[in-house]
Amino acid sequence: MINKAIIVGMLGLTAICATPAAAVSIMDPTDDFIPSYTAGPRFADLDVTGFSVNYDGMSQLFTLGATFAGDIDPQTAGLYIFGVNTGTGIARPFASIGQPDVIFNQAIVIQKNGTGSVGPNALDPTGIAIAGNMLTARVPLALLPSTGFGPTQYGFNLWPRNGVGNVNQITDFAPENATVSIGAVPEPATWLMMLVGFGGVGFSLRRRIGKVVTGTVYA
């Protein structure tokens, strides 16, 4: 638990301090499970509340971050799919559930146990961290080769699922019916918000640690 917390903090600092870098972040409403989700309980860790994408041009790494309405629980069903449009955007499988503009040609899969993959390629588990309601994953650009877009033009969407198989297992989309791309380097105020956010996570993790001391494409 403590090691995971330290890793999350380090990945967050890497995302902020790496240069040249660009980032985008969005908020997503709480308890906005999509109407077509009928396959199981509304676990809070399948409800996205925030999603961010950072690209570091020097290390050629994407850092994906997500927060959820509750702590991620590996004992309950669920996984996280990050759809990526690297230029062709050939997959549009969600029109039947009101999400026709979620377009992707590659998928990053992150499991609740901290493992992940891009297609047949496993991600380095040291680049994936889960602490409380926060997930962070580093993905090399080499695993997401361009099909026409530059890295900062790539489109991303996050959708949790409670299992693999039918679209009624998808719980949420972030953003809704769209993809998000980095575009340009954020303004200083955005960097300040990110710093404050990671500082809050660090403070929360320190409190938790102190208490312990004292007592393939999925569619």
Side-chain angles (χ1 to χ4, degrees), residues 195-217:
L195 284 167
V196 170
F198 280 113
V201 169
F203 176 75
S204 176
L205 292 175
R206 284 196 300 272
R207 289 190 63 188
R208 292 184 186 181
I209 293 169
K211 289 180 180 178
V212 171
V213 172
T214 60
T216 311
V217 174

Side-chain angles (χ1 to χ4, degrees), residues 15-189:
I16 292 172
C17 298
T19 53
V24 64
S25 61
I26 63 168
M27 304 299 290
D28 193 66
T30 302
D31 199 28
D32 64 332
F33 290 86
I34 60 175
S36 57
Y37 173 60
T38 58
R42 293 189 170 197
F43 294 130
D45 63 358
L46 299 180
D47 180 11
V48 184
T49 57
F51 176 37
S52 65
V53 182
N54 173 283
Y55 179 67
D56 178 2
M58 292 191 69
S59 63
Q60 295 193 319
L61 278 173
F62 288 98
T63 300
L64 307 178
T67 57
F68 303 91
D71 289 356
I72 296 170
D73 183 358
Q75 303 304 315
T76 60
L79 67 159
Y80 306 101
I81 312 294
F82 297 84
V84 188
N85 178 13
T86 65
T88 54
I90 57 176
R92 300 169 177 251
F94 304 129
S96 65
I97 56 174
Q99 306 284 328
D101 294 327
V102 177
I103 303 167
F104 63 101
N105 56 9
Q106 299 193 57
I108 302 162
V109 181
I110 305 295
Q111 304 287 345
K112 288 185 178 183
N113 63 6
T115 62
S117 61
V118 181
N121 302 301
L123 292 174
D124 182 351
T126 64
I128 301 172
I130 294 173
N133 71 331
M134 183 176 179
L135 180 156
T136 308
R138 293 190 299 189
V139 182
L141 175 63
L143 295 182
L144 299 170
S146 174
T147 58
F149 287 170
T152 61
Q153 297 173 302
Y154 284 14
F156 291 82
N157 190 290
L158 165 61
W159 59 90
R161 314 181 55 119
N162 80 338
V164 177
N166 299 315
V167 293
N168 70 338
Q169 295 174 301
I170 300 172
T171 61
D172 196 6
F173 285 92
E176 293 290 336
N177 195 28
T179 60
V180 63
S181 60
I182 293 166
V185 175
E187 297 296 323

